[in-house]
Short mmCIF file of all heavy atoms in Angstrom, two decimals:
data_model
loop_
_atom_site.label_atom_id
_atom_site.label_comp_id
_atom_site.label_asym_id
_atom_site.label_seq_id
_atom_site.Cartn_x
_atom_site.Cartn_y
_atom_site.Cartn_z
N ILE A 10 -7.07 6.54 5.75
CA ILE A 10 -7.27 7.23 7.01
C ILE A 10 -8.49 8.16 6.97
O ILE A 10 -9.23 8.24 7.83
CB ILE A 10 -5.92 7.96 7.35
CG1 ILE A 10 -4.84 7.01 7.79
CG2 ILE A 10 -6.24 9.03 8.39
CD1 ILE A 10 -3.48 7.50 7.94
N GLN A 11 -8.63 8.81 5.78
CA GLN A 11 -9.70 9.72 5.61
C GLN A 11 -11.08 8.99 5.65
O GLN A 11 -12.04 9.52 6.26
CB GLN A 11 -9.62 10.54 4.32
CG GLN A 11 -8.53 11.64 4.34
CD GLN A 11 -8.33 12.30 2.99
OE1 GLN A 11 -8.91 11.90 2.06
NE2 GLN A 11 -7.48 13.29 3.04
N GLU A 12 -11.15 7.85 5.15
CA GLU A 12 -12.37 7.09 5.09
C GLU A 12 -12.65 6.62 6.53
O GLU A 12 -13.83 6.72 6.90
CB GLU A 12 -12.24 5.78 4.24
CG GLU A 12 -12.31 6.02 2.70
CD GLU A 12 -11.93 4.62 2.02
OE1 GLU A 12 -12.17 3.60 2.56
OE2 GLU A 12 -11.41 4.81 0.85
N LEU A 13 -11.68 6.30 7.30
CA LEU A 13 -11.89 5.87 8.65
C LEU A 13 -12.34 7.05 9.51
O LEU A 13 -13.21 6.87 10.29
CB LEU A 13 -10.65 5.21 9.24
CG LEU A 13 -10.34 3.88 8.75
CD1 LEU A 13 -8.93 3.39 9.18
CD2 LEU A 13 -11.36 2.82 9.02
N GLN A 14 -11.74 8.19 9.35
CA GLN A 14 -12.22 9.45 10.02
C GLN A 14 -13.65 9.78 9.71
O GLN A 14 -14.48 10.15 10.57
CB GLN A 14 -11.24 10.54 9.74
CG GLN A 14 -9.94 10.49 10.43
CD GLN A 14 -8.98 11.53 9.85
OE1 GLN A 14 -9.02 12.00 8.79
NE2 GLN A 14 -7.98 11.77 10.72
N LYS A 15 -14.05 9.59 8.44
CA LYS A 15 -15.37 9.81 7.99
C LYS A 15 -16.39 8.91 8.73
O LYS A 15 -17.45 9.23 9.25
CB LYS A 15 -15.60 9.82 6.59
CG LYS A 15 -15.02 10.97 5.79
CD LYS A 15 -15.19 10.85 4.31
CE LYS A 15 -14.57 12.03 3.55
NZ LYS A 15 -14.65 11.84 2.18
N GLU A 16 -16.00 7.62 8.77
CA GLU A 16 -16.78 6.61 9.55
C GLU A 16 -16.93 6.84 10.91
O GLU A 16 -17.99 6.70 11.45
CB GLU A 16 -16.11 5.17 9.20
CG GLU A 16 -16.92 4.12 9.91
CD GLU A 16 -18.29 3.86 9.24
OE1 GLU A 16 -18.70 4.42 8.22
OE2 GLU A 16 -19.04 2.97 9.76
N VAL A 17 -15.84 7.33 11.61
CA VAL A 17 -15.94 7.57 13.05
C VAL A 17 -16.83 8.80 13.28
O VAL A 17 -17.77 8.73 14.09
CB VAL A 17 -14.57 8.01 13.56
CG1 VAL A 17 -14.56 8.73 14.96
CG2 VAL A 17 -13.65 6.72 13.66
N GLU A 18 -16.82 9.75 12.42
CA GLU A 18 -17.77 10.97 12.46
C GLU A 18 -19.14 10.52 12.22
O GLU A 18 -20.05 10.93 13.00
CB GLU A 18 -17.33 12.03 11.54
CG GLU A 18 -17.94 13.32 11.69
CD GLU A 18 -17.72 14.00 13.12
OE1 GLU A 18 -16.64 13.77 13.66
OE2 GLU A 18 -18.67 14.47 13.70
N ARG A 19 -19.44 9.65 11.25
CA ARG A 19 -20.78 9.20 10.99
C ARG A 19 -21.29 8.39 12.18
O ARG A 19 -22.47 8.60 12.59
CB ARG A 19 -20.73 8.28 9.84
CG ARG A 19 -22.13 7.84 9.31
CD ARG A 19 -22.09 6.69 8.31
NE ARG A 19 -21.63 5.40 8.81
CZ ARG A 19 -22.22 4.63 9.63
NH1 ARG A 19 -23.45 4.89 9.92
NH2 ARG A 19 -21.68 3.44 10.03
N LEU A 20 -20.47 7.59 12.80
CA LEU A 20 -20.98 6.76 14.01
C LEU A 20 -21.26 7.81 15.26
O LEU A 20 -22.16 7.48 15.88
CB LEU A 20 -19.84 5.68 14.43
CG LEU A 20 -19.77 4.73 13.40
CD1 LEU A 20 -18.46 3.73 13.78
CD2 LEU A 20 -20.92 3.78 13.37
#
Side-chain angles (χ1 to χ4, degrees):
I10 289 171
Q11 287 177 355
E12 285 176 28
L13 290 172
Q14 286 173 333
K15 286 178 184 176
E16 179 66 10
V17 166
E18 192 58 39
R19 184 190 68 75
L20 290 172

